[in-house]
Amino acid sequence: MAIVKPFKAIRPTKDKAFFVASRSYEEYSKEELKAVLKYNPFSFLHIINPGFKFDKNIKGKERFGLVHNRYLEFLEENIFQKDEEPSFYLYQIEKDDFKSLGFFCACSVDDYRSNVIKKHEDTIQDREELFADYLHTVGFNAEPVLMTYEDSDLVDEIFQRKIQREPEYDFTTTDKVNHKLWKISYPEGIKKLESAFGDLNSLYIADGHHRSASSSLLADIKKTENPNHTGEEAYNYFMAYLIPESQMKIFEFNRMVKDLNGFSKKEFLIQLDEHFRIEKRMDGLRKPSKKHEFSMYLAGEFYTLHFRKTNHVFPDALSKLDTQILYKTVLEPILGITDLRNDDRICYGYGKNNLIQMKDMVDSGAFAVGFSLVPTTIEEIKAIADAGLVMPPKSTYIEPKLRSGLAIYEL
């Protein structure tokens, strides 16, 4: 059974929610970040970039302490307020034809450790320890772990009833995304949601593997510091945003490699022929249309690579994954890429116009070859997580991407 708990969120006042909400820090260009920090004193970016106040780039543990101080200032200046009653927070994101309706809750560290909350990515110990130290110093969790669950009629019924009412927040950001948030604080609604998720065997992490791992590490640290530990303290949980599988959108990451590992174009194509039927395309930009099919851009030409499955055995769910097939048949044995995370010869791209960008990068000479894949499916993610396997890095780009600062979980 999966545990979800309501919590007393720290949230911006209704009149300031639009100004507080920010995208992920990494998504801002230097110019955009500077402009937001200069002209929007309410942005959550002031908390996570506290050095701006001193016109100094501050890093490491010194930054952690200043993040905590900026957070306290937002509370002291009533930009943030703490809810008086534990609640679930229903949050809807909508742009064009994409809509996601999920909720913020507290999830159990014990569920993470016992594999009720299932993972499909490896984590790096140094990053786990660094972020656990960060959480320990700042005392709050503002970046939820994005998780998904099997669609539930009961949960959807609760949500649909709630969204008929006036939301706590309703605003549209400059990227034309509409954001709405409702509180579910009435005892009957809380009980029904807790019960509905208690009937689920698993939750699946979509994005936030390091955040969940760091929360587990933090719980161990806090437990040793607390002689009166009961298991119910806030640090035994972490903030998550849960959405049904049907409302999660998965995109592919393309791969670009800087050189052909010493092969000429003809030699490289001959190497590929062992595992693929190679079809040169005469119709310009070409995305793959199905699983086990890859689009390749090489020396000004597009090719479709059809994987030869006749003599290939798939021993497990991971071996069927297109990113794994490309790694095991091309990137590692032919191009010599063994470390997909750290080798600077490989680069990844995503987005609506990524195929065009991939072509432009190869044409510019920055890269020698690019590969486009079809997106990974939720069924593949679940099968790999259920089997306790790990996907290659950059196998999925998942939406929704949440705004920071709308709900904060105090540790």
Side-chain angles (χ1 to χ4, degrees), residues 79-323:
I79 300 169
F80 282 158
Q81 61 185 4
K82 184 171 184 176
D83 283 336
E84 296 180 355
E85 53 193 1
S87 304
F88 291 119
Y89 299 88
L90 187 58
Y91 177 39
Q92 178 178 284
I93 303 170
E94 183 175 9
K95 182 179 182 180
D96 300 329
D97 60 346
F98 176 62
K99 180 187 293 186
S100 174
L101 180 64
F103 72 109
F104 293 107
C105 65
C107 283
S108 167
V109 165
D110 284 342
D111 278 358
Y112 174 79
R113 293 169 176 166
S114 64
N115 209 36
V116 171
I117 295 173
K118 296 195 173 183
K119 308 161 275 289
H120 66 263
E121 286 184 10
D122 265 338
T123 53
I124 301 170
Q125 185 175 352
D126 287 351
R127 286 185 62 189
E128 289 180 28
E129 293 173 353
L130 180 65
F131 193 61
D133 190 18
Y134 171 81
L135 293 174
H136 191 272
T137 303
V138 303
F140 64 85
N141 189 327
E143 301 290 340
V145 176
L146 177 63
M147 291 196 279
T148 189
Y149 60 90
E150 187 177 346
D151 285 52
S152 163
D153 291 338
L154 175 57
V155 173
D156 187 58
E157 181 185 343
I158 296 170
F159 287 178
Q160 292 304 317
R161 268 206 311 268
K162 187 64 182 180
I163 64 174
Q164 304 308 314
R165 303 190 178 188
E166 182 180 355
E168 297 274 320
Y169 304 145
D170 183 356
F171 60 89
T172 301
T173 43
T174 53
D175 54 358
K176 299 181 181 179
V177 178
N178 180 251
H179 305 264
K180 293 179 182 176
L181 183 141
W182 298 260
K183 281 176 60 179
I184 299 178
S185 53
Y186 58 100
E188 182 184 359
I190 288 175
K191 187 176 180 180
K192 283 184 176 180
L193 277 176
E194 289 177 330
S195 176
F197 281 88
D199 291 336
L200 294 179
N201 292 323
S202 303
L203 300 174
Y204 294 86
I205 298 177
D207 189 19
H209 285 79
H210 279 92
R211 292 192 291 275
S212 48
S214 298
S215 295
S216 177
L217 181 58
L218 175 71
D220 284 337
I221 295 169
K222 300 278 277 187
K223 180 180 178 179
T224 62
E225 296 175 344
N226 182 7
N228 300 313
H229 173 84
T230 67
E232 291 303 314
E233 294 86 356
Y235 58 74
N236 295 291
Y237 300 86
F238 58 91
M239 185 168 67
Y241 178 71
L242 272 56
I243 54 172
E245 294 173 6
S246 62
Q247 295 186 33
M248 187 172 72
K249 205 164 185 179
I250 307 173
F251 299 88
E252 74 282 2
F253 273 98
N254 293 342
R255 277 96 165 100
M256 294 173 288
V257 181
K258 291 183 178 180
D259 59 70
L260 298 182
N261 199 27
F263 292 109
S264 67
K265 174 186 173 182
K266 288 183 179 179
E267 290 170 338
F268 180 58
L269 290 172
I270 290 171
Q271 291 289 319
L272 291 177
D273 191 68
E274 179 181 353
H275 294 291
F276 301 93
R277 177 170 58 85
I278 304 170
E279 180 185 3
K280 184 187 288 188
R281 308 300 308 192
M282 308 303 293
D283 48 2
L285 291 171
R286 172 74 178 182
K287 292 192 72 172
S289 59
K290 59 185 178 181
K291 290 292 177 184
H292 304 337
E293 180 181 286
F294 305 85
S295 180
M296 179 178 74
Y297 187 65
L298 172 69
E301 296 177 307
F302 273 97
Y303 298 81
T304 298
L305 306 181
H306 303 275
F307 184 55
R308 300 184 192 276
K309 293 175 283 187
T310 307
N311 298 319
H312 195 89
V313 177
F314 296 116
D316 53 38
L318 177 61
S319 65
K320 300 177 184 178
L321 196 68
D322 280 353
T323 53

